[in-house]
Amino acid sequence: MSRRFCLMQLYLTLREMVSIDLNGEPEADDGTVVNFTTPNPPKEGMRFDSGFEFSEFCHRYAYNEGFEMFVSSDEIKKEYKDKGVSKKGIGELEAKAHMMQRIRLKCKKGGVKKSEGSNVTGCKVFVYGSCKNGEFIVVNCHLVHNHPLSPECSRMMVNYRSIDGATFDRIMINERGGVSVSRNFGTQLIEKGGFDNITFNKRDVRNAIAVERRKTMFEEGDAASLEKYFKSQRELNSDFYSSMQRDEDGILKNAFWSDARSRGTCKYFGDVISFDTTFSSNRYRMPFAPFVGVNHHGTSIVFAAALISHEDTETFVWVFEEWLKCMGKPPKGILTDQDKAIGKAISLVFPGVPHRLCLWHMLQNASRNLGKLAEWKSIDTLIRTAVHDMLDPEEFDEAWCLVMDTYNQRKGWMLDAYDNRQQWAPAYNRGRFWAGMSSTQRSEGMNRYFKTQVDLECGLLQFIKNYEFCMNIKAEEEKEDNFDCVDKPPQIDVDKSVLAEYVFHKVYTNEMFADIVRERKGLTHTNVTKIDAIGSLMLYRADEKLTSPHWRKRFKSYTVKVDKVIGEVSCSCQLFEFRGILCRHILKAMDVEDFQFIPEKYILDRWRKQVRSYESLRVSYYDPEESRRLAKAKELSLRHNYLKELAMHNDVAYKLYTEATNIVRLKMEGAVGIRKTGDQGDTSIVWWDPEARNVFGRRRLRPRECNERALKRTVQPVQDDVIKTPVDKRHVGRAKKGPCSIYDKSKKKQTCTHAEIAANEELIGSMYGHIPSYRARQEHANNVNDERVHPYYNGPVFDDIPESSQINLCEDISQTFDYNTYEWRTRLGGRLTM
């Protein structure tokens, strides 16, 4: 019985212990209170040690009664005035309750109602106190309200809302991880067990995040902080590259950076890059310009990135020159949108490098410039036929000129597009390696991915940290893909009778092998016929049946050259030259020639599942100081969790734990220099229970010293040698979107009826029928023997050839994806990805 009585006494003693918010300011007057019932309301003659205790007592009374009080008037003591303390002061010069000679607190609903939406009722409740002879005395008060009170809603009132330090840390971790404010608040709501147990709302979470962003931008200056961060990354890894350009006033113009891992990937996959600047990333409206490529898994990777102030030739020249300094060599091909400034910069910095324009943007521009014409549907059909079916440059030129002459369009957009045809037409570009890219969709997709992690409110340093968080996720995804290639072979039955499939499934990654399988499936509707032989060189004609209704004959023919002696193969479709994958026509001809091995030159190292040197690089995608702080927090958490488990075993261990923590707590409070709590200090709250702490006053949620105007007023003048932050452009308006295009991806594909198909074929035949090479292919296609299309054929009706096995000469491999067979999984960051 005595032991149980002692435990009960210990429990009651602990309930009376107190503390303050260790994450708040260390001053003794920065008080906290507890939500226990105040037995006595304020009365005339009540005495307190200082204005702080007076103010705290009144606020505690108001909390329990269900209303809010505010400082109606006060007067600062002379000794504090002489030190520069004022009502507009910030930090140490901010006026606080213990510095006051007199304080008058009033109900927030007091005053004169000035508008219809105001909740002011003219309440006369007030408490007036004054300092006399070293004590703070209640001089006068009136406690009768003229409005209903809501004690059950006190936790919703601004004066009584707060966020404790541990919760704030979790909120900021979630924010850095790309968690939205709503989900961030929802996590805290579930963890604390509902709204009744939470001391803040969603708006408070949003304000807390905004305060933290503001502090990083104004403590040292946003641009200066970014420069300091780049310097720390270079000290951490000497292979980190960064450069910042200033204008004549020292303001940041452009920034370029690339980490060690990204520079390593460029050595293997930097032969073809895509460059685009469609995403404004931060509060300064500086467009984000990533250099994007394709890795051995067919996924997008970032080699380097830039933040630029202007999209002009001078800026792009600087960016491309920094690329040369960083990577040491130009790319073998670069793909951009139709931007004249970018094109001119490429010709100046990368002379001789093939520059290709985005095909998707070209077709979109066709609809924007010609979509209002009455003959647009016919022109659209003929343009796409010329782009996708004309494989020879001369054939393409003749077809394009026919369209211009027929519809009187040898002017404007069509003439400009014809003059620049070598930069975008597939007939002129399929002979070069482009890793399967024909559009800037990879850059735009990467921009969309980064856009999910940042918004227009973030500063430069915060954007770079979010960027590196995304890069960390991408690096982990590639590591998972590498592991899958070893641990999870392709979920496809390998046809060992096909030489290419048997060889490539051992050396290529799963994603690239899937492309080989797609070509192997095309062998079932591809036939080759030997048409000539010149020594060891064999010429074949490959006839391929395309996806179409079974009642129509639709074939395409290609020329295949095979020299088994020297191990040379080529096809007029030029799929290998364009994408690095052997086409079905070559595979069929190799099968006829009975090849016993695949020539080494046709097994590209680019697609192999071999280990690459950059994979072993350890890159810190986090701030070193932040990493050290988190390491300390992790160690403390592990220590506490271990001691907590021991304390729960029996009463003796529990008593030892409480006694030891009380001793440690008092010593640490002395070391930190804050007000003592517990047995030797303030007994107003339970020190070990964060939920029992209740911070009165709006300053904790929205500190005055973190207000943007206050930060601007107190920021130190920027020295001449320190880079300056650009102008905030959040409220200057946004560019309007262009008109809708028929090539908009959001629209579903419109299926054509049989009559429309026949009409389009008749239009194409009548327009391009007299082009000799095109006419010869069409005549051959119409004469290919296929008994299924004979008018007297009574056999079974064959299903259409699956579209997944059809070759598409203009297709970007970033868009070839089988949603039904792919193994979906959840990536880091909480989003479902491929």
Side-chain angles (χ1 to χ4, degrees):
M1 179 64 69
S2 60
R3 182 178 179 181
R4 185 176 301 174
F5 177 76
C6 292
L7 290 175
M8 182 61 70
Q9 288 294 327
L10 176 63
Y11 172 74
L12 294 174
T13 303
L14 289 174
R15 289 201 58 178
E16 295 177 357
M17 287 183 175
V18 299
S19 178
I20 66 172
D21 189 352
L22 295 179
N23 298 278
E25 300 174 359
E27 289 85 352
D29 60 299
D30 194 3
T32 57
V33 297
V34 70
N35 302 344
F36 61 81
T37 304
T38 304
N40 298 316
K43 295 181 181 179
E44 293 183 13
M46 274 190 170
R47 298 175 181 273
F48 301 91
D49 292 338
S50 68
F52 169 73
E53 281 76 13
F54 164 78
S55 177
E56 203 72 4
F57 179 85
C58 294
H59 281 303
R60 189 183 306 134
Y61 165 75
Y63 176 86
N64 287 279
E65 293 295 321
F67 70 98
E68 293 177 277
M69 302 189 80
F70 73 102
V71 178
S72 171
S73 62
D74 53 17
E75 181 184 351
I76 304 174
K77 292 180 180 180
K78 185 177 184 302
E79 58 265 30
Y80 290 106
K81 283 184 180 181
D82 296 340
K83 295 179 181 180
V85 175
S86 66
K87 296 179 182 179
K88 294 184 178 180
I90 297 170
E92 294 181 356
L93 300 181
E94 180 182 352
K96 297 175 183 178
H98 74 283
M99 305 176 183
M100 297 300 170
Q101 177 67 32
R102 58 180 182 83
I103 302 175
R104 184 184 184 91
L105 296 172
K106 292 183 62 177
C107 176
K108 271 197 172 183
K109 293 194 176 183
V112 180
K113 189 172 183 178
K114 296 181 179 180
S115 62
E116 288 296 328
S118 174
N119 63 351
V120 174
T121 62
C123 183
K124 303 297 184 181
V125 169
F126 75 94
V127 181
Y128 176 73
S130 179
C131 184
K132 296 180 181 179
N133 301 324
E135 291 183 324
F136 214 89
I137 305 173
V138 177
V139 178
N140 195 5
C141 64
H142 177 74
L143 304 178
V144 180
H145 297 268
N146 65 352
H147 58 86
L149 305 180
S150 306
E152 68 281 356
C153 297
S154 294
R155 62 179 179 81
M156 303 179 185
M157 299 176 183
V158 175
N159 276 15
Y160 314 126
R161 298 203 304 266
S162 64
I163 301 178
D164 62 87
T167 302
F168 176 77
D169 289 341
R170 287 193 293 273
I171 287 173
M172 293 311 301
I173 289 173
N174 290 341
E175 196 273 335
R176 293 189 190 103
V179 180
S180 65
V181 173
S182 298
R183 293 184 178 181
N184 207 335
F185 176 72
T187 342
Q188 307 303 326
L189 186 64
I190 294 172
E191 181 181 347
K192 296 182 183 301
F195 287 99
D196 292 337
N197 302 320
I198 206 165
T199 59
F200 53 90
N201 57 28
K202 190 188 300 184
R203 185 181 300 171
D204 298 331
V205 173
R206 184 177 287 108
N207 288 340
I209 294 173
V211 165
E212 191 68 14
R213 287 175 179 169
R214 233 178 266 135
K215 287 169 64 178
T216 60
M217 285 188 291
F218 288 97
E219 282 177 352
E220 297 180 350
D222 209 6
S225 299
L226 179 62
E227 188 175 37
K228 182 179 178 181
Y229 181 73
F230 282 160
K231 183 180 179 181
S232 67
Q233 290 295 322
R234 286 195 299 272
E235 293 174 352
L236 193 67
N237 191 323
S238 59
D239 289 331
F240 182 89
Y241 182 89
S242 65
S243 180
M244 303 177 73
Q245 186 185 32
R246 321 179 189 196
D247 63 9
E248 57 276 6
D249 297 325
I251 298 176
L252 173 67
K253 285 182 63 179
N254 309 302
F256 177 96
W257 71 95
S258 177
D259 59 70
R261 193 179 192 279
S262 298
R263 297 177 72 182
T265 59
C266 188
K267 295 178 182 179
Y268 293 94
F269 310 115
D271 46 1
V272 180
I273 62 174
S274 174
F275 183 76
D276 187 59
T277 60
T278 58
F279 170 38
S280 294
S281 59
N282 48 61
R283 65 194 288 138
Y284 312 109
R285 296 292 178 87
M286 298 179 72
F288 174 57
F291 291 84
V292 181
V294 185
N295 67 2
H296 53 308
H297 298 289
T299 57
S300 300
I301 53 175
V302 179
F303 302 125
L307 289 172
I308 58 179
S309 56
H310 299 89
E311 297 183 75
D312 54 13
T313 302
E314 180 185 356
T315 299
F316 291 127
V317 165
W318 181 86
V319 171
F320 294 147
E321 287 176 347
E322 292 302 322
W323 167 276
L324 285 178
K325 295 176 185 177
C326 176
M327 304 303 177
K329 62 179 181 180
K332 296 180 181 179
I334 183 168
L335 188 67
T336 69
D337 59 5
Q338 197 174 6
D339 189 299
K340 293 181 179 180
I342 296 179
K344 187 175 180 180
I346 290 174
S347 63
L348 293 174
V349 184
F350 301 144
V353 173
H355 174 210
R356 190 177 180 192
L357 301 179
C358 174
L359 182 60
W360 184 85
H361 279 101
M362 293 300 299
L363 296 177
Q364 189 181 50
N365 289 336
S367 69
R368 288 177 176 175
N369 290 275
L370 307 175
K372 295 182 180 180
L373 298 177
E375 305 90 352
W376 163 242
K377 287 188 177 181
S378 300
I379 296 175
D380 179 38
T381 301
L382 295 171
I383 285 177
R384 284 187 284 175
T385 301
V387 168
H388 299 319
D389 289 355
M390 305 302 176
L391 305 180
D392 183 73
E394 294 181 359
E395 193 176 77
F396 172 81
D397 291 348
E398 190 171 354
W400 193 271
C401 290
L402 273 174
V403 178
M404 288 194 297
D405 295 336
T406 303
Y407 294 97
N408 193 25
Q409 291 298 318
R410 196 175 279 273
K411 57 185 178 180
W413 180 86
M414 285 205 72
L415 185 59
D416 292 340
Y418 180 72
D419 293 338
N420 298 325
R421 62 192 181 280
Q422 294 184 356
Q423 289 188 286
W424 63 269
Y428 286 90
N429 290 281
R430 289 192 66 80
R432 299 189 183 97
F433 180 74
W434 290 97
M437 292 191 293
S438 59
S439 70
T440 57
Q441 289 172 345
R442 286 190 180 273
S443 292
E444 293 174 358
M446 192 61 68
N447 281 337
R448 286 192 296 272
Y449 175 72
F450 284 118
K451 200 170 185 178
T452 62
Q453 304 293 333
V454 299
D455 55 29
L456 289 177
E457 295 296 323
C458 77
L460 298 175
L461 182 59
Q462 186 63 39
F463 171 78
I464 298 298
K465 291 184 177 181
N466 290 341
Y467 164 86
E468 293 192 343
F469 174 77
C470 296
M471 293 295 291
N472 194 23
I473 293 178
K474 287 294 181 182
E476 185 65 21
E477 288 178 356
E478 183 175 333
K479 188 181 297 184
E480 289 184 13
D481 289 335
N482 291 337
F483 177 74
D484 289 346
C485 288
V486 177
D487 187 63
K488 298 180 181 179
Q491 303 298 317
I492 303 172
D493 294 331
V494 179
D495 188 352
K496 296 183 179 180
S497 64
V498 180
L499 175 64
E501 188 166 347
Y502 179 71
V503 171
F504 286 120
H505 97 279
K506 294 183 177 181
V507 296
Y508 274 12
T509 60
N510 293 352
E511 288 76 7
M512 290 300 105
F513 177 67
D515 289 341
I516 298 293
V517 172
R518 189 179 296 110
E519 293 303 312
R520 188 261 299 166
K521 290 180 179 179
L523 295 177
T524 59
H525 50 90
T526 301
N527 185 42
V528 295
T529 306
K530 184 182 291 186
I531 57 176
D532 200 359
I534 307 173
S536 61
L537 179 63
M538 303 297 170
L539 299 179
Y540 287 89
R541 183 183 63 240
D543 298 316
E544 178 187 358
K545 188 179 188 302
L546 303 181
T547 304
S548 63
H550 70 276
W551 47 270
R552 302 189 67 83
K553 292 189 296 183
R554 289 186 58 81
F555 290 88
K556 273 192 175 182
S557 297
Y558 305 93
T559 301
V560 182
K561 298 177 182 180
V562 180
D563 194 325
K564 190 176 181 181
V565 176
I566 63 175
E568 292 279 353
V569 293
S570 64
C571 178
S572 60
C573 76
Q574 297 180 317
L575 182 67
F576 178 78
E577 290 80 0
F578 178 69
R579 188 185 295 184
I581 298 294
L582 290 176
C583 66
R584 62 198 64 179
H585 319 120
I586 291 179
L587 297 181
K588 191 75 171 181
M590 291 176 68
D591 184 55
V592 172
E593 288 291 324
D594 194 23
F595 271 65
Q596 297 301 313
F597 63 92
I598 301 292
E600 191 67 24
K601 67 176 71 175
Y602 300 108
I603 305 177
L604 299 187
D605 291 340
R606 201 183 200 285
W607 307 133
R608 289 177 182 263
K609 51 184 175 185
Q610 61 190 13
V611 178
R612 293 168 171 82
S613 60
Y614 71 85
E615 295 173 7
S616 61
L617 293 175
R618 297 184 63 85
V619 179
S620 173
Y621 286 108
Y622 298 100
D623 186 350
E625 290 295 331
E626 184 73 7
S627 299
R628 283 191 284 270
R629 190 186 69 83
L630 292 175
K632 288 182 181 179
K634 181 180 178 180
E635 181 184 356
L636 292 173
S637 177
L638 292 174
R639 287 172 177 267
H640 170 71
N641 290 337
Y642 177 69
L643 293 176
K644 181 184 68 174
E645 291 179 4
L646 294 179
M648 295 298 293
H649 276 75
N650 52 54
D651 293 339
V652 176
Y654 175 78
K655 184 178 181 181
L656 286 173
Y657 177 79
T658 55
E659 291 175 352
T661 50
N662 283 335
I663 296 172
V664 172
R665 178 247 311 168
L666 291 172
K667 290 184 177 180
M668 291 186 67
E669 288 173 347
V672 174
I674 60 177
R675 175 165 54 95
K676 291 291 193 299
T677 59
D679 296 336
Q680 300 181 17
D682 195 335
T683 58
S684 62
I685 65 171
V686 182
W687 70 267
W688 41 265
D689 184 6
E691 302 305 328
R693 297 201 297 267
N694 196 357
V695 182
F696 291 115
R698 196 181 181 92
R699 294 171 188 165
R700 283 299 178 89
L701 290 177
R702 301 179 65 181
R704 181 187 296 178
E705 62 269 18
C706 295
N707 181 275
E708 185 166 341
R709 285 179 295 180
L711 288 169
K712 287 180 178 179
R713 189 167 64 247
T714 58
V715 68
Q716 297 295 325
V718 180
Q719 300 178 4
D720 294 337
D721 58 338
V722 177
I723 193 167
K724 300 177 183 178
T725 303
V727 179
D728 190 338
K729 298 181 180 179
R730 286 175 297 168
H731 309 295
V732 297
R734 299 186 180 181
K736 296 181 179 180
K737 294 183 178 180
C740 182
S741 167
I742 64 167
Y743 292 100
D744 190 352
K745 286 186 175 182
S746 61
K747 294 186 176 181
K748 296 181 178 179
K749 292 183 178 180
Q750 298 179 353
T751 56
C752 295
T753 63
H754 294 166
E756 290 174 337
I757 293 174
N760 288 339
E761 289 183 353
E762 183 178 355
L763 172 66
I764 294 169
S766 62
M767 177 65 67
Y768 300 144
H770 70 281
I771 300 178
S773 56
Y774 184 81
R775 183 175 66 249
R777 290 204 310 272
Q778 291 301 105
E779 289 176 355
H780 170 73
N782 293 331
N783 294 325
V784 173
N785 293 325
D786 188 352
E787 61 178 5
R788 293 176 296 173
V789 299
H790 196 275
Y792 299 104
Y793 174 68
N794 294 320
V797 176
F798 287 80
D799 293 334
D800 296 341
I801 296 167
E803 189 173 352
S804 61
S805 65
Q806 180 187 358
I807 190 171
N808 189 341
L809 300 180
C810 66
E811 188 176 35
D812 183 346
I813 61 173
S814 62
Q815 306 303 315
T816 58
F817 184 74
D818 190 349
Y819 288 87
N820 297 322
T821 61
Y822 196 86
E823 180 183 358
W824 290 82
R825 56 190 182 275
T826 303
R827 295 288 195 185
L828 292 177
R831 293 178 176 82
L832 191 64
T833 58
M834 324 178 197

